[in-house]
Amino acid sequence: MARELRTALGDVPFIGCSTSGELSNGSSLRQGLVLWALGGSGFSVRVGLGQGVAGSLRQAARDAAGCLDALPSHPHRALVLLADGLCGDQMEVVRGAYEVAGASVPLVGGCAGDDMAMCSTQQIFGDRVLRHAVVAAAIGSEAPIGIGVSHGWQPVGDPMLVTSSEGVVVSTLDDRPALDVYLDALQAPPEASATPEAFSAFAATHPLGIPRRDRVEIRYVAGADFDKRSLTCIAGLPQGGMTMFMRGDSDSVRAATQTAIREACEGLAGAAPIGMLLFDCVARRSVLEDAAMQGEFEGVRDWLNETPVAGFYTYGEIARTQGAGGFHNQTLVALALA
């Protein structure tokens, strides 16, 4: 596929990745190919690549973010990042890119998927197909760039202290086994503590939250160790930090979609969007499918009108516009251009 694209596109630089589903003009696809092209007056784009190793993408993110150095001067800039979704603590991608981009350039993007096989993901840089990599596109624009971020999950109970964690594994919360605290506080059904499959089904609508100054970032609970009584997340929860249990449903997922897209459009300072990229967590889609709902974009078609929209279902979302953090789970990130 990458070779065919290179033949068709000639010298046009392009990046991409494997997914767990695609988005095109507000419709959800499976095992498809979606292309989103950007060019013309008022825009500049440069692409970058960083090759990492299993378990660490920080240096890869630094290398990929270096494409910002070749970007011509524009009043508005953003860095789009696509990373291996199964390569250790994904917060390392944000940290590495931030070291290059600094506080003035927002970071957006998502982690590649593999259609929920959870084996390996691929990143595309021209006609090269890679693993354990980060690819990036630095965008410069004469018009504003809008970014919207929303998840729709609500806190349950009071925050707790992460008293023991290492990497993506949380061992204790408030000095008690993390799995026990999680199941007790959320009044999980008995089957959730019986099999990994039942636990995963319950955890899909009960993530963890990290309170920030202006928001709560979500961490997807990817699994549990029933012997060690620990929780495993997609990205790390730092020891000594605070976390809280979250919950949501199909209605809150759809409401969050409208919020993220509205925020992205409002960031254009009154201009109409001419294109939008969406990075949507695959766990949000599963919530809607379990509720037998048609999809999360039905309520925003009028808002988007004929705006070209593309994106994919991710294993984690990137959105750093201010403050600490910037890696999300079970969240929708929208990038709008004017």
Side-chain angles (χ1 to χ4, degrees):
M1 184 201 70
R3 287 193 297 265
E4 291 290 337
L5 286 175
R6 168 54 68 215
T7 299
L9 297 175
D11 294 332
V12 175
F14 63 92
I15 62 170
C17 64
S18 59
T19 78
S20 287
E22 302 79 45
L23 296 163
S24 178
N25 291 331
S27 297
S28 177
L29 307 176
R30 302 272 189 156
Q31 298 180 338
L33 172 64
V34 173
L35 302 178
W36 194 84
L38 173 64
S41 177
F43 291 105
S44 296
V45 180
R46 298 293 184 271
V47 296
L49 163 67
Q51 179 63 65
V53 297
S56 177
L57 292 178
R58 189 163 186 162
Q59 184 59 52
R62 289 193 198 102
D63 294 341
C67 62
L68 280 165
D69 294 338
L71 192 69
S73 178
H74 287 277
H76 306 281
R77 295 185 295 168
L79 183 66
V80 177
L81 299 159
L82 307 178
D84 191 324
L86 299 172
C87 196
D89 186 351
Q90 297 300 315
M91 189 61 201
E92 291 294 286
V93 176
V94 178
R95 295 187 181 111
Y98 182 81
E99 290 172 9
V100 176
S104 63
V105 179
L107 311 176
V108 297
C111 295
D114 64 349
D115 212 16
M116 297 305 293
M118 306 301 288
C119 294
S120 67
T121 72
Q122 286 75 43
Q123 299 73 54
I124 300 168
F125 187 82
D127 57 4
R128 301 173 62 186
V129 180
L130 309 157
R131 293 180 59 204
H132 305 155
V134 178
V135 295
I139 300 174
S141 174
E142 295 301 309
I145 297 174
I147 298 171
V149 185
S150 186
H151 53 70
W153 307 101
Q154 300 299 320
V156 179
D158 296 324
M160 296 159 294
L161 183 67
V162 181
T163 46
S164 178
S165 68
E166 183 176 357
V168 296
V169 176
V170 181
S171 298
T172 63
L173 296 170
D174 286 345
D175 288 322
R176 292 180 55 208
L179 178 58
D180 296 339
V181 177
Y182 181 81
L183 296 173
D184 291 346
L186 293 171
Q187 300 179 343
E191 56 268 24
S193 58
T195 67
E197 294 77 15
F199 177 84
S200 295
F202 177 77
T205 54
H206 297 84
L208 297 179
I210 300 179
R212 304 291 190 190
R213 181 178 59 83
D214 57 343
R215 64 190 183 280
V216 176
E217 288 184 2
I218 301 300
R219 292 292 180 266
Y220 177 59
V221 181
D225 188 317
F226 292 106
D227 294 325
K228 296 181 179 180
R229 313 305 292 172
S230 61
L231 299 172
T232 301
C233 299
I234 293 294
L237 274 74
Q239 184 170 305
M242 303 300 293
T243 189
M244 58 182 66
F245 298 136
M246 313 290 288
R247 66 182 172 196
D249 55 26
S250 56
D251 289 335
S252 67
V253 166
R254 296 188 75 168
T257 298
Q258 297 182 35
T259 298
I261 290 177
R262 185 183 69 248
E263 285 182 354
C265 292
E266 289 174 347
L268 300 178
I274 63 170
M276 184 173 290
L277 276 175
L278 301 177
F279 306 94
D280 198 2
C281 184
V282 66
R284 285 167 40 89
R285 183 184 66 183
S286 65
V287 171
L288 296 174
E289 291 175 339
D290 290 344
M293 300 185 74
Q294 295 299 312
E296 60 179 299
F297 299 100
E298 295 300 321
V300 296
R301 293 188 190 276
D302 291 341
W303 186 286
L304 294 173
N305 295 314
E306 299 300 319
T307 303
V309 178
F312 68 98
Y313 288 103
T314 73
Y315 283 172
E317 303 75 56
I318 295 168
R320 198 226 66 83
T321 56
Q322 60 182 1
F327 183 77
H328 309 261
N329 290 134
Q330 294 173 272
T331 296
L332 175 66
V333 173
L335 172 71
L337 299 176

